Amino acid sequence: MAATVTWEGLRELASFRADEGCAISLYLDLDPSGLPTAGAVDTRVNALLDEIERSPAASRDDLTHAEKRALQDDLERLRAFFDEEFSREGSRGYAVFCHGLGGVWRPLPLSDRVPDLVQVGRTLYVAPLVPLVRRGNGMLVAFVGRERGDLYQLRDGRLEELQERFDEQPGRHDQGGWSQARYQRHIEKLVQDHLRDVAGLLDRHVRQQREPGLVVVCSEETRPELEEELSNEARSAVVGWTTAEAHSSPTELLQAVKPVLERWRSEQEAATAERWREEAGRDGRAAAGWAQTLEAASDGRVELLLFQDGTDRSAWQCPACGRLGAEAGECPLDGTAMEESEHGLDLAVHQTLAHGGTVWALRERRDLEPVEGIGAILRY
Protein backbone atom coordinates (compact mmCIF):
# COMPACT_ATOMS: atom_id res chain seq x y z
CA MET A 1 0.00 0.00 0.00
CA ALA A 2 1.23 3.50 -0.84
CA ALA A 3 2.41 5.67 2.04
CA THR A 4 1.05 9.10 2.91
CA VAL A 5 3.53 11.93 2.33
CA THR A 6 3.02 14.57 5.04
CA TRP A 7 4.74 17.86 5.81
CA GLU A 8 6.06 16.33 9.04
CA GLY A 9 7.58 13.40 7.18
CA LEU A 10 9.00 15.67 4.51
CA ARG A 11 10.60 17.94 7.12
CA GLU A 12 12.14 14.91 8.80
CA LEU A 13 13.73 13.77 5.56
CA ALA A 14 14.86 17.29 4.67
CA SER A 15 16.47 17.82 8.08
CA PHE A 16 18.82 14.85 7.65
CA ARG A 17 22.48 15.57 6.89
CA ALA A 18 25.15 12.89 6.64
CA ASP A 19 28.02 13.58 9.02
CA GLU A 20 29.98 10.76 7.38
CA GLY A 21 29.93 9.50 3.82
CA CYS A 22 27.00 10.00 1.44
CA ALA A 23 23.29 9.29 1.53
CA ILE A 24 21.37 7.77 -1.38
CA SER A 25 18.00 8.98 -2.66
CA LEU A 26 16.40 6.76 -5.31
CA TYR A 27 13.14 7.47 -7.16
CA LEU A 28 11.35 5.01 -9.45
CA ASP A 29 8.41 5.74 -11.76
CA LEU A 30 6.02 2.77 -11.67
CA ASP A 31 3.38 4.01 -14.08
CA PRO A 32 1.98 0.85 -15.75
CA SER A 33 2.07 2.42 -19.22
CA GLY A 34 5.85 2.71 -19.01
CA LEU A 35 6.65 -0.37 -16.92
CA PRO A 36 4.05 -3.01 -17.77
CA THR A 37 6.09 -6.05 -16.67
CA ALA A 38 8.28 -7.12 -13.76
CA GLY A 39 11.17 -7.49 -16.19
CA ALA A 40 10.84 -3.86 -17.27
CA VAL A 41 10.94 -2.76 -13.62
CA ASP A 42 14.08 -4.85 -13.01
CA THR A 43 15.81 -3.29 -16.01
CA ARG A 44 14.96 0.23 -14.82
CA VAL A 45 16.08 -0.49 -11.24
CA ASN A 46 19.40 -1.95 -12.38
CA ALA A 47 20.05 1.13 -14.52
CA LEU A 48 19.42 3.40 -11.53
CA LEU A 49 21.67 1.34 -9.26
CA ASP A 50 24.45 1.42 -11.87
CA GLU A 51 24.02 5.18 -12.01
CA ILE A 52 24.66 5.37 -8.25
CA GLU A 53 27.89 3.44 -8.66
CA ARG A 54 29.05 5.79 -11.45
CA SER A 55 28.02 9.00 -9.68
CA PRO A 56 30.75 11.62 -9.08
CA ALA A 57 29.87 11.68 -5.35
CA ALA A 58 30.72 7.97 -5.04
CA SER A 59 34.33 8.59 -6.13
CA ARG A 60 34.97 11.87 -4.34
CA ASP A 61 38.58 12.30 -3.16
CA ASP A 62 37.51 13.52 0.28
CA LEU A 63 35.71 10.27 1.12
CA THR A 64 37.64 7.89 3.37
CA HIS A 65 38.05 4.22 2.57
CA ALA A 66 35.48 3.40 5.27
CA GLU A 67 32.99 5.89 3.80
CA LYS A 68 33.40 4.44 0.29
CA ARG A 69 32.95 0.94 1.72
CA ALA A 70 29.77 2.06 3.52
CA LEU A 71 28.39 3.46 0.26
CA GLN A 72 29.03 0.12 -1.43
CA ASP A 73 27.24 -1.63 1.44
CA ASP A 74 24.24 0.68 0.95
CA LEU A 75 24.24 -0.11 -2.75
CA GLU A 76 24.25 -3.84 -2.03
CA ARG A 77 21.39 -3.38 0.42
CA LEU A 78 19.40 -1.64 -2.28
CA ARG A 79 20.09 -4.44 -4.76
CA ALA A 80 18.98 -7.05 -2.22
CA PHE A 81 15.83 -5.07 -1.41
CA PHE A 82 14.72 -4.83 -5.02
CA ASP A 83 15.58 -8.50 -5.62
CA GLU A 84 13.88 -9.95 -2.55
CA GLU A 85 11.46 -7.55 -0.84
CA PHE A 86 10.22 -4.90 -3.25
CA SER A 87 6.55 -4.93 -4.29
CA ARG A 88 4.93 -2.46 -6.68
CA GLU A 89 1.38 -3.41 -5.61
CA GLY A 90 -0.76 -0.35 -4.90
CA SER A 91 1.97 2.10 -5.93
CA ARG A 92 2.50 4.37 -8.92
CA GLY A 93 5.92 5.52 -7.75
CA TYR A 94 8.60 4.50 -5.26
CA ALA A 95 11.35 6.18 -3.27
CA VAL A 96 14.10 4.72 -1.11
CA PHE A 97 16.34 6.76 1.18
CA CYS A 98 19.45 5.03 2.48
CA HIS A 99 22.46 5.92 4.62
CA GLY A 100 23.81 3.01 6.65
CA LEU A 101 26.30 5.09 8.63
CA GLY A 102 23.46 7.36 9.78
CA GLY A 103 20.95 4.58 10.39
CA VAL A 104 18.66 5.71 7.58
CA TRP A 105 16.63 3.13 5.65
CA ARG A 106 13.27 4.39 4.35
CA PRO A 107 11.45 2.56 1.51
CA LEU A 108 8.45 4.69 0.50
CA PRO A 109 5.75 3.37 -1.85
CA LEU A 110 3.95 6.34 -3.40
CA SER A 111 0.41 6.96 -4.64
CA ASP A 112 1.53 9.01 -7.66
CA ARG A 113 4.29 9.07 -10.24
CA VAL A 114 7.80 10.41 -9.62
CA PRO A 115 10.66 10.77 -12.11
CA ASP A 116 13.33 8.06 -12.37
CA LEU A 117 16.44 9.46 -10.72
CA VAL A 118 19.12 8.92 -8.09
CA GLN A 119 21.03 11.43 -5.99
CA VAL A 120 24.09 10.77 -3.85
CA GLY A 121 25.14 13.45 -1.39
CA ARG A 122 25.20 14.77 2.16
CA THR A 123 21.44 15.39 2.20
CA LEU A 124 18.36 13.50 1.02
CA TYR A 125 16.73 14.64 -2.21
CA VAL A 126 13.11 15.49 -1.38
CA ALA A 127 11.83 17.87 -4.11
CA PRO A 128 9.97 15.11 -6.08
CA LEU A 129 7.82 14.40 -3.01
CA VAL A 130 6.45 17.95 -2.74
CA PRO A 131 3.64 17.55 -5.32
CA LEU A 132 2.39 14.47 -3.45
CA VAL A 133 1.70 16.23 -0.15
CA ARG A 134 -1.40 18.19 -1.22
CA ARG A 135 -3.37 15.31 -2.71
CA GLY A 136 -6.42 15.29 -0.44
CA ASN A 137 -5.03 12.69 1.99
CA GLY A 138 -7.01 12.88 5.19
CA MET A 139 -10.11 14.26 3.46
CA LEU A 140 -13.36 13.03 5.03
CA VAL A 141 -16.01 11.52 2.77
CA ALA A 142 -19.56 11.10 4.06
CA PHE A 143 -22.10 8.88 2.30
CA VAL A 144 -25.50 9.95 3.62
CA GLY A 145 -28.99 8.68 2.87
CA ARG A 146 -32.32 8.60 4.65
CA GLU A 147 -31.17 5.50 6.53
CA ARG A 148 -27.45 5.39 5.88
CA GLY A 149 -24.65 7.53 7.34
CA ASP A 150 -21.17 6.15 6.56
CA LEU A 151 -17.96 8.09 7.09
CA TYR A 152 -14.68 7.42 5.31
CA GLN A 153 -11.25 9.02 5.15
CA LEU A 154 -9.12 9.25 2.03
CA ARG A 155 -5.77 7.55 2.62
CA ASP A 156 -3.27 6.86 -0.13
CA GLY A 157 -5.82 6.72 -2.89
CA ARG A 158 -8.35 4.60 -0.96
CA LEU A 159 -11.36 5.24 1.22
CA GLU A 160 -10.90 3.81 4.72
CA GLU A 161 -14.09 3.37 6.74
CA LEU A 162 -14.18 5.36 9.98
CA GLN A 163 -17.77 4.76 11.05
CA GLU A 164 -20.89 3.08 9.71
CA ARG A 165 -24.40 4.07 10.74
CA PHE A 166 -27.72 2.59 9.66
CA ASP A 167 -31.10 3.69 11.04
CA GLU A 168 -33.75 1.50 9.46
CA GLN A 169 -36.94 3.40 8.73
CA PRO A 170 -40.44 1.77 8.79
CA GLY A 171 -41.78 0.56 5.46
CA ARG A 172 -45.23 0.94 4.00
CA HIS A 173 -46.33 -2.39 5.46
CA ASP A 174 -45.71 -1.01 8.98
CA GLN A 175 -48.41 1.65 8.73
CA GLY A 176 -50.99 -0.28 10.73
CA GLY A 177 -53.96 1.82 11.85
CA TRP A 178 -52.21 5.16 11.40
CA SER A 179 -53.65 7.68 8.99
CA GLN A 180 -51.57 8.28 5.88
CA ALA A 181 -50.72 11.90 6.82
CA ARG A 182 -49.86 11.06 10.43
CA TYR A 183 -47.74 8.09 9.38
CA GLN A 184 -45.85 10.22 6.83
CA ARG A 185 -45.08 12.82 9.50
CA HIS A 186 -43.78 10.03 11.71
CA ILE A 187 -41.45 8.81 8.94
CA GLU A 188 -40.16 12.33 8.26
CA LYS A 189 -39.46 12.82 11.98
CA LEU A 190 -37.39 9.63 12.09
CA VAL A 191 -35.45 10.68 8.98
CA GLN A 192 -34.80 14.13 10.47
CA ASP A 193 -33.54 12.53 13.69
CA HIS A 194 -31.25 10.28 11.64
CA LEU A 195 -29.83 13.21 9.65
CA ARG A 196 -29.33 15.21 12.86
CA ASP A 197 -27.34 12.33 14.35
CA VAL A 198 -25.24 12.01 11.19
CA ALA A 199 -24.60 15.77 11.21
CA GLY A 200 -23.40 15.48 14.81
CA LEU A 201 -21.06 12.68 13.80
CA LEU A 202 -19.61 14.79 10.97
CA ASP A 203 -19.19 17.76 13.28
CA ARG A 204 -17.17 15.70 15.79
CA HIS A 205 -14.84 14.33 13.14
CA VAL A 206 -14.36 17.70 11.45
CA ARG A 207 -13.33 19.21 14.79
CA GLN A 208 -10.76 16.47 15.26
CA GLN A 209 -9.18 17.14 11.87
CA ARG A 210 -6.04 19.27 11.79
CA GLU A 211 -6.89 20.56 8.32
CA PRO A 212 -10.54 19.64 7.93
CA GLY A 213 -12.02 18.90 4.56
CA LEU A 214 -15.25 17.08 3.81
CA VAL A 215 -16.95 15.72 0.68
CA VAL A 216 -20.62 14.79 1.10
CA VAL A 217 -22.24 12.15 -1.11
CA CYS A 218 -26.03 12.22 -0.96
CA SER A 219 -29.13 12.61 -3.13
CA GLU A 220 -30.35 16.02 -4.24
CA GLU A 221 -33.44 15.41 -2.10
CA THR A 222 -31.41 14.74 1.06
CA ARG A 223 -28.88 17.56 0.63
CA PRO A 224 -30.99 20.55 1.87
CA GLU A 225 -32.23 18.57 4.89
CA LEU A 226 -28.70 17.49 5.86
CA GLU A 227 -27.20 20.91 5.16
CA GLU A 228 -29.68 22.48 7.56
CA GLU A 229 -28.54 20.14 10.34
CA LEU A 230 -24.79 20.74 9.86
CA SER A 231 -22.93 23.01 12.28
CA ASN A 232 -21.26 26.13 10.89
CA GLU A 233 -17.85 24.48 11.29
CA ALA A 234 -18.89 21.33 9.44
CA ARG A 235 -20.60 23.34 6.70
CA SER A 236 -17.49 25.45 6.15
CA ALA A 237 -15.37 22.28 5.92
CA VAL A 238 -17.39 20.95 2.96
CA VAL A 239 -15.33 21.19 -0.23
CA GLY A 240 -18.03 19.70 -2.45
CA TRP A 241 -21.20 17.66 -2.85
CA THR A 242 -21.91 14.79 -5.23
CA THR A 243 -24.25 11.85 -5.71
CA ALA A 244 -23.85 8.06 -5.98
CA GLU A 245 -25.98 4.94 -6.16
CA ALA A 246 -27.60 3.95 -2.86
CA HIS A 247 -25.55 0.77 -2.37
CA SER A 248 -22.21 1.99 -3.74
CA SER A 249 -19.05 0.30 -2.51
CA PRO A 250 -16.07 2.34 -1.23
CA THR A 251 -14.39 1.90 -4.63
CA GLU A 252 -17.49 3.21 -6.44
CA LEU A 253 -17.76 6.08 -3.96
CA LEU A 254 -14.16 7.06 -4.64
CA GLN A 255 -14.89 7.30 -8.35
CA ALA A 256 -17.82 9.61 -7.58
CA VAL A 257 -15.66 11.75 -5.29
CA LYS A 258 -12.60 12.10 -7.55
CA PRO A 259 -14.02 14.92 -9.76
CA VAL A 260 -14.90 16.89 -6.60
CA LEU A 261 -11.37 16.49 -5.28
CA GLU A 262 -9.86 17.55 -8.61
CA ARG A 263 -11.99 20.70 -8.64
CA TRP A 264 -10.98 21.43 -5.06
CA ARG A 265 -7.27 21.03 -5.86
CA SER A 266 -7.63 23.31 -8.87
CA GLU A 267 -9.39 25.93 -6.76
CA GLN A 268 -6.69 25.71 -4.09
CA GLU A 269 -3.96 26.12 -6.68
CA ALA A 270 -5.73 29.06 -8.32
CA ALA A 271 -6.22 30.83 -4.99
CA THR A 272 -2.56 30.31 -4.10
CA ALA A 273 -1.33 31.60 -7.46
CA GLU A 274 -3.63 34.63 -7.26
CA ARG A 275 -2.37 35.43 -3.79
CA TRP A 276 1.22 35.39 -5.06
CA ARG A 277 0.31 37.55 -8.09
CA GLU A 278 -1.37 40.13 -5.87
CA GLU A 279 1.62 40.37 -3.52
CA ALA A 280 4.14 40.47 -6.37
CA GLY A 281 2.09 43.02 -8.32
CA ARG A 282 2.21 45.56 -5.51
CA ASP A 283 5.80 44.77 -4.45
CA GLY A 284 4.44 43.26 -1.27
CA ARG A 285 5.44 40.11 0.57
CA ALA A 286 6.53 38.11 -2.45
CA ALA A 287 9.72 36.92 -4.13
CA ALA A 288 9.99 36.35 -7.88
CA GLY A 289 12.72 34.44 -9.70
CA TRP A 290 15.65 32.42 -8.43
CA ALA A 291 17.82 35.16 -6.94
CA GLN A 292 15.07 36.69 -4.77
CA THR A 293 13.59 33.34 -3.78
CA LEU A 294 16.88 31.71 -2.78
CA GLU A 295 17.82 34.77 -0.73
CA ALA A 296 14.45 34.80 1.05
CA ALA A 297 14.63 31.03 1.73
CA SER A 298 18.10 31.47 3.25
CA ASP A 299 16.80 34.23 5.51
CA GLY A 300 13.87 32.08 6.71
CA ARG A 301 11.34 34.52 5.25
CA VAL A 302 9.48 32.08 2.99
CA GLU A 303 6.00 31.21 4.17
CA LEU A 304 5.09 29.37 0.95
CA LEU A 305 7.53 28.39 -1.78
CA LEU A 306 5.90 28.06 -5.22
CA PHE A 307 7.41 26.47 -8.30
CA GLN A 308 6.18 25.41 -11.70
CA ASP A 309 6.11 21.61 -11.69
CA GLY A 310 9.24 20.41 -13.51
CA THR A 311 11.26 23.59 -12.90
CA ASP A 312 14.87 23.29 -11.75
CA ARG A 313 18.29 24.82 -12.34
CA SER A 314 21.74 25.03 -10.80
CA ALA A 315 22.23 27.01 -7.62
CA TRP A 316 25.05 27.55 -5.13
CA GLN A 317 25.29 26.87 -1.41
CA CYS A 318 27.76 27.87 1.25
CA PRO A 319 29.22 24.66 2.78
CA ALA A 320 29.81 26.49 6.06
CA CYS A 321 26.50 28.21 6.81
CA GLY A 322 24.15 26.76 4.17
CA ARG A 323 23.23 30.09 2.56
CA LEU A 324 21.97 29.85 -1.03
CA GLY A 325 22.71 31.93 -4.10
CA ALA A 326 21.75 32.02 -7.76
CA GLU A 327 25.31 32.74 -8.92
CA ALA A 328 28.80 31.45 -8.17
CA GLY A 329 31.02 33.39 -5.80
CA GLU A 330 31.78 33.80 -2.11
CA CYS A 331 29.21 33.57 0.64
CA PRO A 332 28.13 37.14 1.57
CA LEU A 333 28.07 36.17 5.26
CA ASP A 334 31.37 34.36 5.86
CA GLY A 335 33.35 34.62 2.59
CA THR A 336 33.44 30.85 1.99
CA ALA A 337 33.46 29.75 -1.65
CA MET A 338 29.96 28.64 -2.64
CA GLU A 339 29.50 25.09 -3.97
CA GLU A 340 27.38 24.38 -7.04
CA SER A 341 24.42 22.02 -7.06
CA GLU A 342 22.54 21.09 -10.22
CA HIS A 343 19.33 20.85 -8.21
CA GLY A 344 18.62 24.36 -6.98
CA LEU A 345 14.98 23.55 -6.36
CA ASP A 346 15.87 20.90 -3.79
CA LEU A 347 18.09 23.42 -1.99
CA ALA A 348 15.23 25.92 -1.86
CA VAL A 349 12.82 23.23 -0.60
CA HIS A 350 15.25 22.20 2.16
CA GLN A 351 15.71 25.78 3.36
CA THR A 352 11.97 26.48 3.26
CA LEU A 353 11.07 23.38 5.25
CA ALA A 354 13.89 23.95 7.74
CA HIS A 355 12.40 27.35 8.61
CA GLY A 356 8.83 26.05 8.96
CA GLY A 357 7.52 27.03 5.54
CA THR A 358 5.55 24.90 3.08
CA VAL A 359 5.84 24.30 -0.66
CA TRP A 360 3.40 24.16 -3.57
CA ALA A 361 4.06 22.76 -7.04
CA LEU A 362 1.86 24.50 -9.63
CA ARG A 363 0.61 21.89 -12.08
CA GLU A 364 -2.12 23.80 -13.92
CA ARG A 365 -1.39 27.50 -13.52
CA ARG A 366 1.48 29.07 -15.51
CA ASP A 367 1.81 32.28 -13.47
CA LEU A 368 5.47 31.65 -12.62
CA GLU A 369 6.72 31.14 -16.17
CA PRO A 370 7.70 34.84 -16.64
CA VAL A 371 9.85 34.69 -13.46
CA GLU A 372 11.94 31.56 -14.19
CA GLY A 373 9.33 29.19 -12.76
CA ILE A 374 9.84 29.97 -9.09
CA GLY A 375 8.61 32.43 -6.49
CA ALA A 376 7.46 32.67 -2.89
CA ILE A 377 4.96 34.28 -0.55
CA LEU A 378 6.93 35.79 2.31
CA ARG A 379 6.36 36.20 6.02
CA TYR A 380 7.84 39.70 5.95
Side-chain angles (χ1 to χ4, degrees):
M1 182 184 298
T4 300
V5 182
T6 64
W7 288 123
E8 291 77 10
L10 206 57
R11 289 186 208 284
E12 181 185 350
L13 292 171
S15 66
F16 174 79
R17 184 172 181 82
D19 294 325
E20 301 176 271
C22 294
I24 297 172
S25 304
L26 181 149
Y27 288 88
L28 177 64
D29 182 2
L30 291 175
D31 185 66
S33 63
L35 292 175
T37 66
V41 173
D42 290 343
T43 299
R44 187 79 58 83
V45 167
N46 289 330
L48 291 171
L49 296 178
D50 289 345
E51 192 175 329
I52 294 173
E53 202 157 24
R54 297 193 305 268
S55 68
S59 56
R60 279 172 28 191
D61 294 336
D62 60 338
L63 292 181
T64 66
H65 175 74
E67 289 173 330
K68 291 180 180 179
R69 179 66 258 172
L71 186 60
Q72 286 300 313
D73 290 343
D74 288 343
L75 186 57
E76 291 306 311
R77 184 175 185 181
L78 284 166
R79 289 191 188 280
F81 170 76
F82 281 106
D83 285 342
E84 303 166 10
E85 302 176 49
F86 168 74
S87 171
R88 67 185 291 179
E89 185 176 355
S91 306
R92 295 191 65 209
Y94 216 94
V96 185
F97 303 99
C98 181
H99 182 245
L101 293 175
V104 174
W105 174 255
R106 182 77 63 86
L108 204 61
L110 303 170
S111 59
D112 208 346
R113 300 180 64 179
V114 287
D116 290 322
L117 62 87
V118 290
Q119 286 295 310
V120 182
R122 298 291 187 186
T123 60
L124 300 176
Y125 186 65
V126 300
L129 297 180
V130 169
L132 307 188
V133 181
R134 298 178 184 270
R135 305 298 294 170
N137 266 314
M139 185 78 71
L140 298 173
V141 176
F143 190 20
V144 184
R146 292 168 68 85
E147 295 181 317
R148 185 174 179 177
D150 300 343
L151 186 63
Y152 301 85
Q153 192 163 40
L154 182 63
R155 289 289 181 197
D156 309 314
R158 304 187 194 188
L159 289 182
E160 294 182 358
E161 187 176 279
L162 296 179
Q163 195 156 343
E164 181 180 5
R165 184 183 184 92
F166 183 77
D167 295 315
E168 186 173 5
Q169 308 300 347
R172 291 182 179 179
H173 62 281
D174 299 320
Q175 183 173 342
W178 292 31
S179 69
Q180 179 65 36
R182 184 181 172 203
Y183 182 69
Q184 188 61 38
R185 287 195 299 270
H186 172 65
I187 296 294
E188 293 304 323
K189 174 66 166 57
L190 292 177
V191 171
Q192 185 179 6
D193 290 344
H194 163 73
L195 294 178
R196 184 177 297 116
D197 290 342
V198 171
L201 169 70
L202 298 182
D203 181 62
R204 290 192 297 275
H205 279 273
V206 163
R207 292 177 187 273
Q208 293 169 8
Q209 291 287 96
R210 190 170 181 180
E211 293 184 7
L214 172 64
V215 178
V216 183
V217 184
C218 68
S219 68
E220 294 295 335
E221 178 189 19
T222 302
R223 174 174 174 174
E225 299 176 69
L226 176 62
E227 202 164 10
E228 187 174 338
E229 298 293 345
L230 291 176
S231 67
N232 290 334
E233 189 167 353
R235 196 178 294 120
S236 64
V238 175
V239 302
W241 300 75
T242 190
T243 60
E245 294 296 325
H247 301 290
S248 295
S249 67
T251 301
E252 291 167 332
L253 277 180
L254 183 58
Q255 292 305 311
V257 164
K258 278 184 176 179
V260 177
L261 292 177
E262 289 303 322
R263 285 196 301 270
W264 170 75
R265 291 170 188 147
S266 294
E267 291 167 0
Q268 293 285 101
E269 180 169 312
T272 301
E274 288 299 332
R275 183 183 167 202
W276 174 81
R277 285 177 63 91
E278 182 180 342
E279 291 288 348
R282 59 186 178 86
D283 292 327
R285 294 184 301 170
W290 284 94
Q292 289 184 12
T293 303
L294 293 176
E295 179 182 5
S298 298
D299 292 337
R301 293 187 289 124
V302 173
E303 173 190 327
L304 178 62
L305 175 69
L306 295 95
F307 66 93
Q308 210 79 53
D309 199 16
T311 294
D312 206 354
R313 57 155 276 184
S314 294
W316 282 258
Q317 184 173 36
C318 174
C321 70
R323 189 168 186 83
L324 308 179
E327 303 294 340
E330 296 181 347
C331 175
L333 298 185
D334 53 37
T336 305
M338 305 274 273
E339 294 182 349
E340 184 178 7
S341 167
E342 62 179 348
H343 295 291
L345 177 63
D346 195 60
L347 296 181
V349 169
H350 273 77
Q351 285 283 13
T352 299
L353 295 176
H355 291 96
T358 55
V359 190
W360 191 300
L362 297 184
R363 288 185 158 181
E364 299 178 15
R365 299 281 298 232
R366 317 306 298 176
D367 303 67
L368 295 173
E369 285 186 347
V371 293
E372 306 173 284
I374 195 166
I377 296 172
L378 308 179
R379 296 189 175 97
Y380 58 90

